[in-house]
C-alpha cells in the first residue's frame, strides 16, 4: 500500500474514535520527518501494527525477511523501556481503556489474515478497516504495558531510538486518554507497493543535482519542503563501516536522501545481474515453446474464397518470354558454358631430377679447389712450407690434422649456406626521371619573341602593365618614364624626371588613371594623359587630386611626421603630369598597391623600424605599422584577397594580418639572400627568388618543406605569376627567362603540379646585369621582360 493511502486511512480512522467533541489528534506519523507543527520533543510514535501487520504486509510475495523481524523486536524493546515511567502515572485511566479495547478487539479479531491482505491489495481504503487496524494497534500497546507492569518497569531492551522518532510532533491529549510512549517508526518506503520510487517526494522527473545547493530535496503532497537528513562526516562514515554489520548491504537513495538496506532478495538480484544471469531466479529461459500456429497442413483452407479462373490459364507473357529465350539459344546468341573441372597433374618424383625435392632453378654448390704442390706429401723444395721438412719415405707421412674439420665445414656449407638466383635490375637514367606531360599539351604559354620596345638609353629597372592590358609603363636609369601602347609598340608619352627611376606601378583601380614612380626618396603620382585613354577617367583623376583633402582634427604622430611628407605639386609640376608628391626621409626602393587602389605601401631598406610605411591615397595619411623590424627588408607584396602583407627579409618571410595587427606566419626562405617575391592569385602559394640562384615554391599550409626549383645559374632578379593562366616565370642575370606550368588544386592534400615549359633567351649582358624585371599581361599569355640592354621584350 502506498504511503499516501496509508496516511489517509489512519487519519480517517482516528476521527470516530475520539468523537466530534474531543480535540482531534493524529497519533500516527507515517514519515520520520516532521511537518514543523510539533511542540513536544518526546512525541509518541506508534508502530503501525508492527507485529501483525509485519506478518500480513511484510512482502507481497509471501516471503518473510528475517532482518525486518529483528527491527520489529528492537522497536518493541525500545517501547518497553520508555513505558516504565508513563504506566505509573496513568494506571487508573489505562485500566478502563484496556477493558474497552479488549472488547472491541475480540470482535475484530475474527477477520483472518488473508481477508486483511485481500482488503489491502484491493485498492479500497474503507473506514471500518482502518478502525480495525487502529484497534489492533491499541491492543498491542496495552499488551506491552501489561508486560512492563509485570516485570516491574524493568527492560533489557536498548534505550536508543531511531533518528526518525525524535522528529515527530505531539499535541495536547484529551482527558481520559494517555499518550502512548514513543516507538520507532518503520520506514514507509519498505511497504510501498507503488511502481514509483517515492510518492511522497513530488519534485517530478528532474535531476537530483538541482537540489545540491538547497537544504531540502523536494516537496511532499502538501507542497511542504522535505528536508535532507543528516549524513554525518567522514568519521561517522568510518565508525558506521566498522560497527554496522549491514554496511555492505546499505545503499544511498538520492531521491529520498536516506540509506536503504537491501534485503536478501535484492542482493540475490544484484548478484545475478552482475554474473550476467536472469534477475528472477524463478524465470525459466528455456521453457517449452508454445506452438500457437500449428505446422501441420490443415484439411480445411483458411479462407473460403474460391480461386480465380485466371489462375488456371497459363500466362501468355511467360510463354512469350520462354519462346524468345529458346529462339536466342537456337541461333547461338545465348550459350551456356559449363565450368571445366581443374585436373591436377601428377609426375614421378624420382624420375625427374630437375624437380627433385621441389627445388626449382637449382644452383649447385661451388667445387673445392684442387690440392696444390704445397699439400703434397713430397713437394718440390720451392713449394715446401717453412714449418716442416720433407719426408724421406711414405711411411713417415703423418695423418692430416684438419681433415675432419674441413669435411665438417664443407658439409655445413652444402646444407646451410643459402644460394639464391638474383635477377639483376637493369636501371637506366631515363627511368629515374618522372613522367611529365608534353609541353604541347600545356599550351598556351609564350614560346617566341613577339616585339622589342626600344627608346630608353640606359638600364630599364622596372616595368608595369596597366590593369586593362593596353599600356605598358617603364622606368630607366636615363631619368625617363615612358608609356607604351602594347598593341602597336609605340611610345605614347615620355616624362623626364630628376633622377633614375627605380620602380613604376599602375594603380589597380579602374576609376583612376594613375602611375606611381620611385625617384630617390620621392614617390610621384603621374597622370599620363593620352588621347587613347577615356577622357572621363582622366578628368576624374585630375578632379580627385586638384585639392588637398580636409584632415579635420587629425594630428600626425611625430614618428610619421619626421618620416614622410605629403605635398601638392607646383604649377610647373602639375603641367608635367604630377598629381601628388611624397617625400621620405630615406631612399625608397619599392611601391606596392593594394587590390582596391586606395592603400599602398612603400619600402625604405635603410629605414630601420620605419622600413615599411602604409599610406592612404584618398585622405593623404600615413602610418608606421611596425615598431621594430628584424633584418633588412628586401621586398613587399599584398595578398590578392585578404588584408595580409608579405614582408621578405634576407632570410625569412613574414605574413602579417593588417586588420588584426598580428603576425600569422614566419617562414624560413631557404635562401641566403631573398631578392623578390610573388603571390599566387589564389593566395595559398607564393614564390621566393634569391640572389643565390634558388627559386622556392611555398604553401601557406605546409611552409616547412618548400619545392626547390633549381633552374638558373645566376642571381634571380624577378618572379611573377599570371593572373589567369597556371603560369609563372623567373628571370636571372644569366640572360635566361624560365616559363613554367604551376597547377594548384583545390585539394590541399595534393601537391601543386610544377613543370618547366620553355627557356627564353634574347637579352644581352651589361655590367654583369641582364634581365632585371618580368611581368605578365593581365589577360593574354604574354610575358614582358626588361633588361640591362635598354630594351623591353614581348614574348608570346
Amino acid at each position: 500500500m502506498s504511503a499516501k493511502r496509508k496516511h489517509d486511512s489512519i487519519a480517517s480512522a482516528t476521527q470516530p474514535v475520539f468523537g466530534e467533541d474531543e480535540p482531534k489528534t493524529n497519533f500516527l506519523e507515517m514519515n520520520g520527518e516532521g511537518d514543523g507543527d510539533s511542540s513536544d520533543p518526546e512525541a509518541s510514535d506508534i508502530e503501525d501494527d508492527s507485529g501483525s501487520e509485519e506478518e500480513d504486509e511484510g512482502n507481497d510475495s509471501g516471503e518473510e525477511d528475517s532482518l525486518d523481524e529483528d527491527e520489529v523486536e528492537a522497536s518493541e524493546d525500545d517501547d518497553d523501556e520508555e513505558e516504565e515511567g508513563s504506566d505509573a502515572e496513568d494506571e487508573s485511566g489505562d485500566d478502563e481503556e484496556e477493558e474497552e479495547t479488549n472488547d472491541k478487539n475480540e470482535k475484530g479479531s475474527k477477520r483472518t489474515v488473508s481477508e486483511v491482505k485481500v482488503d489491502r491489495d484491493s485498492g479500497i481504503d474503507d473506514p471500518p478497516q482502518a478502525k480495525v487496524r487502529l484497534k489492533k494497534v491499541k491492543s498491542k500497546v496495552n499488551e506491552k504495558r501489561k508486560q512492563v507492569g509485570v516485570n516491574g518497569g524493568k527492560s533489557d531492551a536498548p534505550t536508543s531510538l531511531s533518528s526518525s522518532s525524535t522528529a515527530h510532533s505531539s499535541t495536547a491529549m484529551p482527558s481520559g486518554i494517555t499518550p502512548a510512549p514513543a516507538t520507532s517508526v518503520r520506514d514507509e518506503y519498505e511497504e510501498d507497493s507503488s511502481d514509483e520510487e517515492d510518492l511522497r517526494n513530488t519534485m517530478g522527473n528532474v535531476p537530483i543535482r538541482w537540489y545540491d545547493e538547497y537544504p531540502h530535496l523536494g516537496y511532499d503532497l502538501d507542497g511542504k519542503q522535505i528536508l535532507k537528513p543528516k549524513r554525518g562526516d567522514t568519521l561517522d562514515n568510518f565508525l558506521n563501516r566498522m560497527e554496522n554489520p549491514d554496511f555492505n548491504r546499505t545503499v544511498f537513495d538520492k531521491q529520498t536522501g536516506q540509506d536503504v538496506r537491501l534485503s536478501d532478495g535484492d542482493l540475490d538480484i544484484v548478484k545475478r545481474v552482475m554474473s550476467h544471469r536472469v534477475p528472477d531466479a524463478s524465470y525459466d529461459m528455456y521453457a517449452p515453446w508454445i506452438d500457437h500456429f500449428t505446422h501441420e497442413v490443415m484439411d480445411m483452407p483458411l479462407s473460403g474464397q474460391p480461386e480465380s479462373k485466371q489462375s488456371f490459364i497459363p500466362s501468355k507473357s511467360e510463354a512469350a518470354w520462354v519462346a524468345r529465350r529458346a529462339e536466342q539459344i537456337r541461333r547461338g546468341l545465348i550459350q551456356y558454358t559449363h565450368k571445366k573441372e581443374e585436373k591436377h597433374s601428377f609426375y614421378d618424383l624420382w624420375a625427374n631430377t630437375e624437380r627433385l625435392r621441389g627445388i626449382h632453378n637449382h644452383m649447385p654448390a661451388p667445387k673445392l679447389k684442387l690440392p696444390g704442390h704445397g699439400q703434397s706429401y713430397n713437394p718440390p723444395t720451392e713449394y715446401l712450407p717453412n714449418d716442416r721438412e720433407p719426408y724421406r719415405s711414405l711411411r713417415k707421412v703423418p695423418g692430416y690434422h684438419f681433415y675432419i674439420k674441413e669435411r665438417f665445414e664443407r658439409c655445413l656449407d652444402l646444407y646451410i649456406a643459402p644460394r639464391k638466383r638474383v635477377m639483376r635490375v637493369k636501371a637506366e637514367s631515363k627511368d629515374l626521371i618522372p613522367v611529365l606531360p608534353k609541353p604541347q599539351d600545356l599550351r598556351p604559354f609564350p614560346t617566341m619573341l613577339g616585339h622589342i620596345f626600344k627608346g630608353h638609353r640606359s638600364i630599364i629597372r622596372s616595368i608595369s602593365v596597366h590593369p586593362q592590358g593596353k599600356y605598358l609603363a617603364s622606368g630607366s636609369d636615363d631619368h625617363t618614364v615612358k608609356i607604351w601602347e602594347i598593341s602597336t609598340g609605340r611610345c605614347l608619352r615620355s616624362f623626364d624626371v630628376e633622377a633614375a627611376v627605380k620602380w613604376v606601378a599602375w594603380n589597380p583601380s579602374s576609376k583612376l588613371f594613375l602611375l606611381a614612380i620611385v625617384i630617390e626618396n620621392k614617390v610621384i603620382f603621374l597622370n599620363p594623359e593620352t588621347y587613347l585613354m577615356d577622357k572621363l577617367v582622366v578628368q576624374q583623376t585630375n578632379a580627385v587630386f586638384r585639392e588637398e583633402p580636409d584632415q579635420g582634427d587629425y594630428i600626425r604622430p611625430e614618428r610619421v611626421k619626421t618620416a614622410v611628407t605629403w605635398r601638392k605639386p607646383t604649377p610647373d609640376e602639375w603641367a608635367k603630369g604630377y598629381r601628388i608628391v611624397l617625400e621620405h626621409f630615406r631612399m625608397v626602393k619599392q611601391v606596392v598597391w593594394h587590390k582596391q587602389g586606395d592603400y599602398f605601401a612603400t619600402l625604405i631598406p635603410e629605414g630601420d623600424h620605419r622600413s615599411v610605411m602604409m599610406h592612404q591615397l584618398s585622405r593623404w595619411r600615413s602610418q608606421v605599422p611596425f615598431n621594430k623590424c628584424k633584418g633588412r627588408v628586401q621586398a613587399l607584396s599584398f595578398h590578392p584577397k585578404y588584408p595580409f602583407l608579405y614582408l621578405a627579409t634576407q632570410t625569412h618571410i613574414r605574413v602579417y594580418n593588417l586588420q588584426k595587427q598580428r603576425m600569422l606566419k614566419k617562414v624560413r626562405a631557404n635562401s641566403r639572400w631573398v631578392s623578390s617575391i610573388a603571390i599566387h592569385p589564389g593566395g595559398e602559394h607564393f614564390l621566393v627568388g634569391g640572389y643565390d640562384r634558388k627559386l622556392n615554391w611555398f604553401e601557406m599550409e605546409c611552409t616547412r618543406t618548400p619545392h626547390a626549383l633549381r633552374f638558373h645559374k645566376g642571381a634571380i632578379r624577378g618572379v611573377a605569376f599570371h593572373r589567369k593562366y597556371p603560369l609563372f616565370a623567373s628571370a636571372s642575370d644569366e640572360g635566361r627567362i624560365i616559363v613554367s606550368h604551376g597547377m594548384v588544386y583545390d585539394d590541399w592534400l595534393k601537391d601543386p603540379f610544377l613543370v618547366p615549359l620553355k627557356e627564353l633567351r634574347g637579352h644581352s649582358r651589361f655590367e654583369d646585369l641582364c634581365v632585371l624585371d618580368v611581368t605578365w599581361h593581365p589577360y593574354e599569355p604574354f610575358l614582358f621582360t626588361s633588361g640591362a640592354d635598354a630594351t623591353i621584350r614581348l614574348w608570346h
Side-chain angles (χ1 to χ4, degrees):
M1 181 183 295
S2 64
K4 185 176 182 304
R5 290 165 52 192
K6 188 183 298 183
H7 186 280
D8 297 337
S9 63
I10 296 177
S12 61
T14 56
Q15 296 180 1
V17 174
F18 298 112
E20 298 178 356
D21 298 333
E22 298 179 353
K24 300 179 181 180
T25 304
N26 187 5
F27 291 95
L28 304 179
E29 188 69 19
M30 303 308 298
N31 191 7
E33 300 175 358
D35 297 333
D37 299 334
S38 63
S39 60
D40 190 1
E42 299 180 356
S44 61
D45 294 341
I46 300 177
E47 185 69 15
D48 297 343
D49 199 4
S50 60
S52 60
E53 188 174 355
E54 181 67 24
E55 297 177 358
D56 298 342
E57 301 180 11
N59 295 319
D60 295 341
S61 60
E63 298 179 0
E64 296 181 357
D65 193 353
S66 60
L67 294 177
D68 295 338
E69 294 177 0
D70 296 341
E71 293 179 358
V72 174
E73 292 177 2
S75 64
E76 292 176 359
D77 295 340
D78 295 340
D79 298 339
D80 296 341
E81 185 176 358
E82 291 183 5
E83 289 175 359
E84 293 180 1
S86 61
D87 292 343
E89 298 177 359
D90 302 333
E91 183 177 359
S92 59
D94 293 343
D95 295 339
E96 298 176 1
E97 184 179 359
E98 180 182 357
E99 294 177 0
E100 182 181 357
T101 306
N102 291 337
D103 296 338
K104 296 179 181 180
N105 192 17
E106 292 177 359
K107 297 179 182 180
S109 62
K110 297 179 181 180
R111 293 171 56 86
T112 61
V113 175
S114 61
E115 293 175 355
V116 174
K117 186 174 182 180
V118 169
D119 294 342
R120 182 201 63 193
D121 296 337
S122 61
I124 303 175
D125 296 337
D126 297 330
Q129 297 179 3
K131 294 180 180 179
V132 173
R133 291 181 59 198
L134 185 60
K135 293 176 182 179
K136 290 182 180 181
V137 172
K138 291 184 177 180
S139 62
K140 188 68 176 180
V141 173
N142 294 332
E143 291 176 3
K144 291 182 180 180
R145 290 178 179 177
K146 289 180 180 181
Q147 294 176 2
V148 173
V150 172
N151 295 334
K154 298 181 180 180
S155 177
D156 296 333
T159 59
S160 60
L161 298 177
S162 61
S163 59
S164 61
S165 64
T166 59
H168 292 286
S169 62
S170 63
T171 57
M173 302 299 296
S175 61
I177 298 178
T178 304
T183 58
S184 61
V185 179
R186 289 182 51 79
D187 190 3
E188 62 180 359
Y189 301 104
E190 297 181 0
E191 301 178 0
D192 193 358
S193 61
S194 175
D195 294 338
E196 300 181 5
E197 295 183 0
D198 187 8
L199 290 179
R200 181 173 59 86
N201 194 345
T202 60
M203 67 178 183
N205 188 15
V206 298
I208 196 66
R209 64 176 183 275
W210 290 3
Y211 292 90
D212 292 345
E213 300 179 358
Y214 299 96
H216 62 282
L217 53 77
Y219 302 90
D220 56 6
L221 296 175
D222 298 332
K224 298 181 180 180
Q225 295 181 353
I226 301 176
L227 299 180
K228 296 180 181 178
K230 296 182 179 180
R231 296 295 302 166
D233 54 3
T234 307
L235 182 59
D236 296 337
N237 187 21
F238 174 75
L239 295 176
N240 187 24
R241 183 170 65 255
M242 295 292 103
E243 298 176 359
N244 187 7
D246 297 334
F247 180 80
N248 294 332
R249 62 190 306 170
T250 304
V251 296
F252 176 70
D253 188 4
K254 296 182 179 180
Q255 187 78 9
T256 61
Q258 297 180 356
D259 291 335
V260 180
R261 176 186 170 277
L262 300 178
S263 62
D264 294 340
D266 297 336
L267 291 178
D268 181 61
I269 292 175
V270 172
K271 291 179 181 179
R272 294 180 68 86
V273 171
M274 293 179 64
S275 59
H276 305 286
R277 293 185 294 172
V278 181
D280 189 3
S282 62
Y283 178 75
D284 187 8
M285 292 182 60
Y286 305 99
W289 173 258
I290 300 176
D291 191 4
H292 298 281
F293 301 97
T294 178
H295 61 278
E296 299 177 357
V297 180
M298 302 176 65
D299 296 338
M300 297 297 294
L302 296 177
S303 176
Q305 181 180 1
E307 296 183 2
S308 61
K309 296 182 180 180
Q310 188 177 2
S311 61
F312 298 96
I313 302 174
S315 176
K316 295 182 179 181
S317 60
E318 293 181 0
W321 183 84
V322 172
R324 186 166 56 255
R325 299 288 289 184
E327 182 65 21
Q328 292 176 355
I329 294 173
R330 191 180 303 108
R331 293 182 179 180
L333 300 177
I334 299 177
Q335 296 180 358
Y336 294 94
T337 58
H338 299 282
K339 187 177 180 180
K340 295 182 179 180
E341 297 181 359
E342 297 181 358
K343 295 183 179 180
H344 299 280
S345 59
F346 303 97
Y347 60 93
D348 188 359
L349 179 63
W350 305 104
N352 192 354
T353 57
E354 294 181 357
R355 306 187 65 174
L356 184 62
R357 298 180 183 177
I359 300 175
H360 303 283
N361 298 328
H362 175 67
M363 296 179 62
K367 297 180 179 181
L368 293 175
K369 291 184 178 180
L370 296 176
H373 296 285
Q375 297 179 356
S376 177
Y377 78 96
N378 190 15
T381 306
E382 61 271 13
Y383 294 105
L384 185 67
N386 298 328
D387 57 346
R388 70 182 181 90
E389 297 180 355
Y391 304 109
R392 297 185 180 276
S393 60
L394 183 60
R395 61 185 178 85
K396 292 183 178 181
V397 176
Y400 184 54
H401 300 285
F402 302 100
Y403 177 78
I404 298 177
K405 182 180 179 181
E406 289 181 356
R407 294 298 97 187
F408 179 73
E409 291 179 354
R410 176 63 177 173
C411 292
L412 289 179
D413 180 65
L414 295 174
Y415 176 66
I416 299 178
R419 288 180 293 273
K420 183 179 179 181
R421 190 182 300 275
V422 179
M423 300 301 295
R424 182 178 179 181
V425 179
K426 295 181 179 180
E428 298 181 0
S429 59
K430 63 180 181 180
D431 298 336
L432 303 178
I433 301 175
V435 179
L436 298 177
K438 296 181 180 180
Q440 293 79 3
D441 299 337
L442 302 178
R443 289 180 178 178
F445 58 88
T447 58
M448 57 185 300
L449 179 62
H451 189 75
I452 300 177
F453 299 86
K454 295 182 180 180
H456 287 284
R457 299 182 302 274
S458 183
I459 298 173
I460 303 175
R461 296 190 177 273
S462 178
I463 56 176
S464 178
V465 182
H466 192 267
Q468 294 182 0
K470 297 181 180 180
Y471 310 104
L472 174 68
S474 60
S476 175
D477 287 353
D478 59 359
H479 301 186
T480 59
V481 175
K482 295 184 180 295
I483 309 298
W484 309 83
E485 185 181 8
I486 295 177
S487 59
T488 60
R490 294 182 302 167
C491 180
L492 299 179
R493 292 201 63 177
S494 179
F495 299 91
D496 295 332
V497 294
E498 296 84 1
V501 181
K502 298 179 181 179
W503 196 269
V504 293
W506 286 100
N507 189 299
S509 176
S510 59
K511 298 180 181 180
L512 297 177
F513 189 61
L514 198 64
L515 177 66
I517 62 174
V518 176
I519 302 172
E520 293 181 348
N521 64 336
K522 297 180 181 179
V523 177
I524 302 174
F525 295 94
L526 291 173
N527 183 4
E529 302 177 2
T530 62
Y531 62 92
L532 297 177
M533 188 59 189
D534 189 0
K535 293 183 180 180
L536 295 178
V537 177
V538 174
Q539 294 175 1
Q540 183 178 356
T541 304
N542 294 333
V544 169
F545 302 107
R546 191 174 300 277
E547 296 181 0
E548 182 178 354
D550 185 12
Q551 299 295 336
D553 297 338
Y554 172 73
I555 300 176
R556 290 192 300 171
E558 188 64 26
R559 59 185 304 192
V560 176
K561 188 176 182 180
T562 58
V564 62
T565 302
W566 293 73
R567 72 175 179 85
K568 192 175 180 180
T570 62
D572 296 339
E573 292 177 344
W574 182 275
K576 289 183 179 180
Y578 294 8
R579 296 298 177 260
I580 301 176
V581 178
L582 272 73
E583 295 181 356
H584 296 73
F585 71 107
R586 296 286 174 84
M587 304 293 288
V588 182
K589 179 183 177 181
Q590 186 181 8
V591 175
V592 181
W593 287 99
H594 190 259
K595 62 176 182 178
Q596 295 180 356
D598 190 20
Y599 294 91
F600 64 96
T602 57
L603 173 60
I604 307 171
E606 298 178 358
D608 296 333
H609 62 281
R610 291 182 290 183
S611 298
V612 180
M613 298 193 66
M614 303 294 297
H615 310 275
Q616 187 176 5
L617 186 62
S618 60
R619 304 177 68 180
W620 289 25
R621 292 184 182 181
S622 302
Q623 62 177 346
V624 180
F626 307 109
N627 293 328
K628 58 182 178 180
C629 186
K630 297 181 180 180
R632 185 184 178 93
V633 183
Q634 298 295 322
L636 296 175
S637 182
F638 280 102
H639 194 279
K641 295 181 180 179
Y642 304 109
F644 297 164
L645 178 65
Y646 289 77
L647 189 146
T649 59
Q650 290 183 356
T651 57
H652 290 81
I653 308 296
R654 291 178 174 85
V655 184
Y656 294 94
N657 189 335
L658 300 177
Q659 187 174 6
K660 297 183 179 180
Q661 298 181 1
R662 64 184 182 89
M663 185 174 66
L664 296 179
K665 281 185 179 295
K666 180 182 177 181
V667 184
R668 189 171 183 84
N670 195 25
S671 178
R672 289 180 292 179
W673 198 304
V674 175
S675 62
S676 57
I677 184 173
I679 313 301
H680 191 270
E684 297 297 332
H685 305 262
F686 59 92
L687 272 176
V688 176
Y691 293 115
D692 56 352
R693 302 172 296 177
K694 290 184 179 180
L695 180 63
N696 298 305
W697 178 296
F698 287 90
E699 300 181 33
M700 286 291 292
E701 300 297 330
C702 184
T703 55
R704 293 186 178 181
T705 56
H707 300 276
L709 308 176
R710 301 181 182 273
F711 297 155
H712 299 280
K713 299 180 181 179
I716 299 176
R717 295 288 179 175
V719 291
F721 275 106
H722 199 282
R723 211 166 60 175
K724 181 179 178 182
Y725 295 97
L727 299 172
F728 66 94
S730 58
S732 66
D733 287 341
E734 61 181 339
R736 296 193 308 162
I737 302 101
I738 304 298
V739 180
S740 304
H741 174 86
M743 175 60 72
V744 176
Y745 300 96
D746 294 337
D747 187 5
W748 288 358
L749 300 178
K750 193 173 183 180
D751 294 335
F753 185 59
L754 308 179
V755 180
L757 297 176
K758 187 67 176 177
E759 175 184 331
L760 304 176
R761 289 178 178 268
H763 290 278
S764 59
R765 297 173 62 87
F766 176 76
E767 295 181 357
D768 295 335
L769 299 176
C770 194
V771 184
L772 298 179
D773 195 7
V774 59
T775 184
W776 289 92
H777 193 277
Y779 305 113
E780 301 295 336
F782 297 162
L783 182 65
F784 299 90
T785 58
S786 64
D789 55 355
T791 60
I792 302 173
R793 298 177 183 265
L794 169 62
W795 309 88
H796 63 79

